[in-house]
Amino acid sequence: MAKIPHILIIYTGGTIGMMRDYKTNVLKAFDFDRIYKRIPELNHLDCTIDSISFDDPIDSSNMNPFHWNTIAETILSNYNKADGFVVLHGSDTMAYTASAISFMFKNLSKPIIFTGSQLPIGDLRTDAKENMITAIEIAANQFNDKPTIAEVCIYFEYKLYRANRTTKISAEQFEAFDSPNYPDLAESGVHLKFNKHYFLAHTYNEKVILRKINNKNIVLLKLFPGISQAVVKHIFATPNLDGIILEAFGSGNAPTSDWFIDLLKETLKRNIPIVDVTQCVAGSVVLGKYETSAKLLEMGLINGYDITTEAALTKMLYLLSNADELTDLKTLFESSLRGEITPI
Ligand code: ASP
């Protein structure tokens, strides 16, 4: 008889794990040991569940690489015990954390499903229950006694997305996330419909590898018409700067002014990698398509293709943190490591 899957829930904070104190209207973290009392529907799922909570659950605006490492270590130390993982996380920075975790694990053979909610669990119209129950169902779903999906995902409002393709698009709608450059991996309706042809290839036989992420001095610079020389010069002169993500216009275009081009050249000479990503929600960088990106291609900017800003930032942190092993940053950045980009 098939073994019943075992799921580990990791609660990090955010609205999903909160209850409203109706006297004061303040949101407070609820005691996760009482999760079955709060969501009795969990008793009907075809899996066993354990949960671990951060000692001090946090609003996801306070997340940083230290917490990403804590989540990843918790997963690794329970890797053989659980068949799948559900990470409950605030939605505000979920796309960053989930993207970071996707890079940190190589040879993943089990699902890591992030979810959260816009309304707390006890609220009448809450989205927390559906998001949590379906995220657990997805993590527990098996095919031929193996997890159906084995990658890092975000499940929100009836859709399963590849984590490193997501971005938060709404601060108030239940449909808070989108994956503009990659199709949904599953849809939850009357049935759970998996779009298996979009999954990453599974690597059941290789040992899972965790590489951590350290804090680095990287900068995200969003270009805008009229951005001043003084500002860009100052930012690029940041002491011990490790890398730059340049959010450029359209298909990766930037001003052609001499001062701007010279600043980029000088920075590259200091061995500081610069990645060109688009500030458009959807579509890809095509370096060299216009005169306004031809110089960028020529001087050796890294092509971010259709990567999200969240994935670009965390990918750069991941590569810089593991530079001893992952030596050729430009080549690795321009390749798909975990399905995060579509190189043209
Ligand atoms: N501010 C909350 C957080 O990101 C919002 C949420 O939980 O969705 O932690």
Side-chain angles (χ1 to χ4, degrees), residues 97-171:
T97 303
S99 296
I101 299 286
S102 79
F103 295 118
M104 292 161 82
F105 281 109
K106 197 178 169 205
N107 303 333
L108 204 59
S109 58
K110 303 188 177 185
I112 303 176
I113 314 294
F114 279 73
T115 195
S117 68
Q118 296 282 53
L119 284 176
I121 227 152
D123 273 25
L124 220 47
R125 294 173 49 254
T126 188
D127 52 335
K129 281 192 182 182
E130 199 287 318
N131 283 348
M132 184 140 127
I133 291 169
T134 309
I136 297 171
E137 273 200 305
I138 290 170
N141 202 287
Q142 304 232 328
F143 182 73
N144 286 343
D145 289 340
K146 295 256 191 291
T148 301
I149 186 155
E151 50 181 294
V152 184
C153 304
I154 287 184
Y155 178 78
F156 227 90
E157 192 62 5
Y158 304 108
K159 286 186 181 158
L160 184 74
Y161 309 103
R162 175 168 300 151
N164 55 37
R165 292 291 195 154
T166 60
T167 191
K168 185 170 179 184
I169 52 157
S170 176

Side-chain angles (χ1 to χ4, degrees), residues 62-69 212-218 240 242 313 316-318 320-322:
N62 287 320
M63 279 277 163
N64 61 41
F66 169 82
H67 303 107
W68 302 344
N69 289 333
K212 294 198 196 157
I213 288 183
N214 309 323
N215 260 323
K216 295 277 170 193
N217 288 325
I218 67 171
N240 305 318
D242 293 310
L313 268 160
M316 181 172 273
L317 285 171
Y318 167 73
L320 289 168
S321 303
N322 295 282

